[in-house]
Amino acid sequence: MTLMPLTLRIALRNLRRNPRRSFYTIAAIAFGLLCLLVFQSLKVGLHREMVASTIGLDAGSLQIHARGYQPNLAVLKPLPDPAKVEAALRRTGCTAFARRLKTPALLLAGKESSSVLLSGIEPGREPRVTFIASKVVAGAYPAAGAGVLIGKPLAKALEVGVGDKLTLMAQSAFGRPVYRRFPIAGIYRSALASFDRSHVYLSLGDLQNFLDAKGVVTEIAARFPLSQVAAKAASLRRALPAAQYNVSTWQKIAPDVVQLISLNDATMGVLIVIVFAIVALGIVNTMSMVVFERFRELGILAAIGTSPGRLVAMIVLESGCLGLLAAAVGTLLGLGACWWLGRYGIDLTAFTSHNQYFATSHVLKAHLLVRDLVAANLITLATALVGGLYPAWKGARLEPARAVRHV
Amino acid sequence: MLLDLNQVSRTYARHQGVPVTALHPVTLAVGPGEFVCLAGPSGSGKTTLLNLMGLIDAPTTGTVTLAGQPTHCLSRRAAARLRLRTVGLVFQEHNLIPVLSAFENIDYVLLLQGLPARQRRQKVYHILDLVGLGDLADRRPGELSGGQQQRVAIARAIVTAPALILADEPTASLDSTTGRGVMDLLRRLNREEGITCVFSSHDPRVVGRADRVITLRDGRIVGDGRPAGG
């Protein structure tokens, strides 16, 4: 048996001397850890939802355009040699990619009209990049010659349904205005009404014909696991000449999402500091009481030869034991809360129905990462240890002669 | 000499900075094997002098030399180490760590000395038998009488075989029979183990058992010799 186990025994037995105080202190620390786990897991869930919405709605993990391409311009900027781009994508191991042709257009139905972004898509490959195909609520995803897919809010505003005809007006590849009537092949509804009102789909071939732009595509969107995006983008940038191509990751396509995630992280950081500063003050208070109550004992321990460092270790160890017990309790409670929030989530429809970051679902679900669980426990333990340091230092600096007189 | 005090005084700053002198400069020496009593009424400076001898307080002036080592330059850590090696301390009451058993209270100082477990165990049981508490090793202080607690404190003080035991009114909180038992124990350790004992008391029955009595009054030594009638 070394000295540390006896010191540990003293620390643990001291915790039992005032069980009510120990209970409340442990409860306070555990509550701090519970808050940290819940906030952090909800934040991760929120970020995952935001990224999934951004990628799955339209952006994909990355997009490749011709150099100088700008979205929403009526003048088409064709992607040079799309087959070369696809070959480069295949070499990176990517199988989920799709060609697109995008142009702004005016949609007319009877007396009503609406400006939209028209996307020519490959019906066979696009669903592997975005989730719109899974959001079709009437009719079908637009196959070649089948017509257009419009959003439900737009269909409602124009008072049209599947099988009705619409007129699309746009600018051809040669700069001439063109218009044509298309039947409505299907109606989709994502969770984002503003998107549904402004995005219309038809097959790539149909749009190329409509715009007199045979074989033209303006972008290729691809999808990778999130963790691979940066590496794949770097690989593609090496493979495709920068003078001709521009490879944009979802972060570049949607910088607002990236900024919002950073802002959330910073806000969470501040929140964590505040919560744990309160926890630390609670520990300092408890351990100060402990030192005050045990003036005489500390004096005796010092008098019989315990070094100041050993006294500090003894008090910090007691504080650490509080932290450890609290970490165990907080982790159990936190895991339970995160499991429940991960399974059932919080319905935020009232707050997010017009929010572009909730295009897949309005239910915010917790997602607890192992690294967050470990970090939260380490923060809790560190707080307990640091919180015990000052009272321990005060305790170790007691004059033994003065302390043993204390009653 | 085991203990040398040269012009040692202690002044406390109290009451809005007004200094209070608890001990005026004293010079004295205690040799190995002595059985010394610091006698005097309450407030005469006995405890202050014992604290200075045991290095748990620092003198305002003068120097304390313990076991040949000057102590005025020692850090807290070094002073703690010297105490651990050389001195066994017994206080008036509440000497023990309440969360530790009698065995663990004694074992603790041996742990501080870094002794292996088997050796510690042997020593602790031997010392508990010596003080007549072999059967109560597992009891915590709260489960022991005042006299038993003092005997555990003495056992803890002597288990490291110190050269010097300093006991501050070791019988003050005990009834006369128990107090006599404690003094018998100290005397036996002094005679049989050769441990130097310096203890304080204002009880004439305790004072009378010393070989040498140093009498203090108002922080000054007013007498140093054999006990009256001794």
Side-chain angles (χ1 to χ4, degrees):
Chain A
M1 183 168 58
T2 63
L3 186 56
M4 191 46 84
L6 182 65
T7 311
L8 184 62
R9 241 181 301 159
I10 293 173
L12 288 172
R13 288 179 191 174
N14 276 330
L15 286 182
R16 293 207 301 256
R17 287 170 81 172
N18 195 331
R20 183 176 296 187
R21 183 174 60 203
S22 295
F23 170 79
Y24 285 128
T25 307
I26 288 170
I29 304 171
F31 182 71
L33 177 58
L34 168 69
C35 289
L36 177 54
L37 290 176
V38 168
F39 292 163
Q40 188 66 19
S41 61
L42 283 175
K43 188 198 78 173
V44 171
L46 172 68
H47 290 175
R48 286 168 68 95
E49 178 60 35
M50 288 165 69
V51 173
S53 292
T54 302
I55 289 175
L57 193 62
D58 185 68
S61 302
L62 59 79
Q63 294 178 358
I64 299 148
H65 301 101
R67 186 173 172 79
Y69 169 84
Q70 289 183 22
N72 300 321
L73 275 188
V75 179
L76 298 181
K77 181 83 175 175
L79 180 73
D81 197 356
K84 181 180 174 179
V85 174
E86 289 175 339
L89 280 164
R90 284 193 192 92
R91 279 199 298 278
T92 67
C94 179
T95 53
F97 56 83
R99 297 181 179 196
R100 292 169 175 175
L101 173 58
K102 285 182 176 174
T103 187
L106 187 65
L107 190 152
L108 305 153
K111 293 178 185 174
E112 306 294 335
S113 68
S114 181
S115 62
V116 296
L117 180 68
L118 202 50
S119 292
I121 48 149
E122 294 180 289
R125 296 206 288 184
E126 182 66 29
R128 297 169 72 180
V129 180
T130 55
F131 57 68
I132 295 298
S134 66
K135 301 291 181 183
V136 173
V137 292
Y141 203 52
V148 297
L149 177 75
I150 66 171
K152 186 160 188 181
L154 183 61
K156 192 175 174 187
L158 299 175
E159 296 178 344
V160 292
V162 174
D164 291 342
K165 289 199 169 179
L166 299 167
T167 301
L168 285 170
M169 281 185 67
Q171 186 174 296
S172 77
F174 304 101
R176 290 196 306 271
V178 289
Y179 63 92
R180 188 177 297 177
R181 282 175 74 76
F182 289 93
I184 297 173
I187 294 172
Y188 71 94
R189 185 173 66 180
S190 73
L192 183 60
S194 59
F195 182 91
D196 298 354
R197 268 195 293 270
S198 59
H199 285 72
V200 173
Y201 298 90
L202 72 167
S203 78
L204 180 62
D206 288 352
L207 186 55
Q208 286 170 338
N209 282 338
F210 175 43
L211 299 179
D212 291 331
K214 190 172 170 53
V216 170
V217 299
T218 51
E219 72 187 30
I220 291 178
R223 185 157 194 165
F224 303 104
L226 267 182
S227 58
Q228 297 177 12
V229 173
K232 301 287 186 190
S235 171
L236 287 167
R237 285 187 188 111
R238 281 194 299 274
L240 300 170
Q244 287 181 286
Y245 298 99
N246 192 15
V247 179
S248 307
T249 61
W250 67 268
Q251 291 98 327
K252 193 175 175 191
I253 297 163
D256 53 327
V257 176
V258 177
Q259 282 189 344
L260 208 53
I261 287 173
S262 300
L263 184 65
N264 272 347
D265 285 337
T267 308
M268 180 59 70
V270 171
L271 200 63
I272 288 168
V273 168
I274 290 171
V275 168
F276 276 85
I278 294 168
V279 168
L281 286 175
I283 295 169
V284 170
N285 180 50
T286 299
M287 295 315 294
S288 295
M289 288 295 293
V290 162
V291 168
F292 181 75
E293 285 173 3
R294 297 191 204 140
F295 255 29
R296 188 181 168 84
E297 271 173 58
L298 293 171
I300 298 280
L301 285 167
I304 63 176
T306 309
S307 66
R310 184 72 65 190
L311 284 176
V312 168
M314 200 174 280
I315 298 167
V316 169
L317 198 60
E318 188 171 335
S319 176
C321 286
L322 275 175
L324 206 60
L325 288 170
V329 173
T331 297
L332 281 177
L333 294 175
L335 285 174
C338 290
W339 173 83
W340 192 89
L341 286 168
R343 179 159 185 171
Y344 301 106
I346 304 169
D347 189 350
L348 298 176
T349 306
F351 308 103
T352 59
S353 57
H354 297 286
N355 190 313
Q356 60 176 310
Y357 308 118
F358 289 83
T360 54
S361 165
H362 295 301
V363 178
L364 175 58
K365 291 189 172 178
H367 187 88
L368 183 61
L369 301 174
V370 173
R371 67 154 198 255
D372 288 340
L373 181 64
V374 172
N377 274 280
L378 289 178
I379 290 172
T380 303
L381 272 180
T383 305
L385 292 174
V386 171
L389 263 181
Y390 175 69
W393 179 77
K394 294 285 280 184
R397 286 194 60 79
L398 286 173
E399 291 292 342
R402 198 179 133 235
V404 294
R405 281 200 302 273
H406 188 86
V407 180
Chain B
M1 280 293 140
L2 179 62
L3 189 61
D4 263 310
L5 282 78
N6 185 19
Q7 290 297 308
V8 168
S9 73
R10 185 66 170 101
T11 301
Y12 299 102
R14 287 188 185 155
H15 303 302
Q16 298 161 343
V18 177
V20 175
T21 300
L23 189 70
H24 294 279
V26 299
T27 297
L28 66 89
V30 176
E34 284 199 74
F35 199 65
V36 182
C37 178
L38 304 180
S42 293
S44 60
K46 302 188 297 291
T47 299
T48 303
L49 185 54
L50 273 174
N51 288 345
L52 294 170
M53 288 175 167
L55 312 184
I56 63 171
D57 198 4
T60 308
T61 64
T63 57
V64 177
T65 304
L66 178 62
Q69 184 167 353
T71 61
H72 58 281
C73 296
L74 292 180
S75 65
R76 280 167 173 260
R77 184 185 164 83
R81 224 173 14 232
L82 183 58
R83 271 200 303 277
L84 181 63
R85 251 192 353 251
T86 318
V87 184
L89 288 163
V90 181
F91 301 101
Q92 192 173 324
E93 55 184 342
H94 305 306
N95 266 297
L96 305 175
I97 306 307
V99 293
L100 297 181
S101 67
F103 180 95
E104 289 167 334
N105 263 284
I106 301 165
D107 191 38
Y108 179 79
V109 285
L110 295 175
L111 270 165
L112 289 176
Q113 287 195 330
L115 262 62
R118 180 181 287 187
Q119 208 175 330
R120 287 201 322 267
R121 193 176 172 79
Q122 280 174 353
K123 279 189 174 232
V124 174
Y125 277 118
H126 169 72
I127 223 78
L128 277 169
D129 285 339
L130 194 69
V131 299
L133 293 174
D135 298 338
L136 305 177
D138 294 331
R139 296 219 183 153
R140 292 201 186 172
E143 299 164 333
L144 297 171
S145 69
Q148 288 167 336
Q149 287 185 37
Q150 278 307 67
R151 281 193 277 164
V152 174
I154 291 169
R156 184 183 63 192
I158 62 174
V159 74
T160 56
L164 175 66
I165 289 181
L166 299 172
D168 187 11
E169 306 218 25
T171 62
S173 61
L174 307 176
D175 61 70
S176 58
T177 309
T178 313
R180 197 165 50 243
V182 166
M183 286 313 298
D184 287 346
L185 177 62
L186 285 175
R187 179 46 115 177
R188 186 150 54 90
L189 292 167
N190 170 250
R191 286 201 174 131
E192 293 175 7
E193 313 285 333
I195 298 172
T196 305
C197 290
V198 179
F199 55 94
S200 65
S201 182
H202 56 259
D203 181 344
R205 287 169 298 183
V206 175
V207 175
R209 299 191 61 168
D211 295 334
R212 176 184 171 193
V213 177
I214 298 169
T215 309
L216 291 122
R217 187 161 295 128
D218 298 329
R220 289 187 170 86
I221 293 178
V222 295
D224 186 350
R226 296 190 64 78

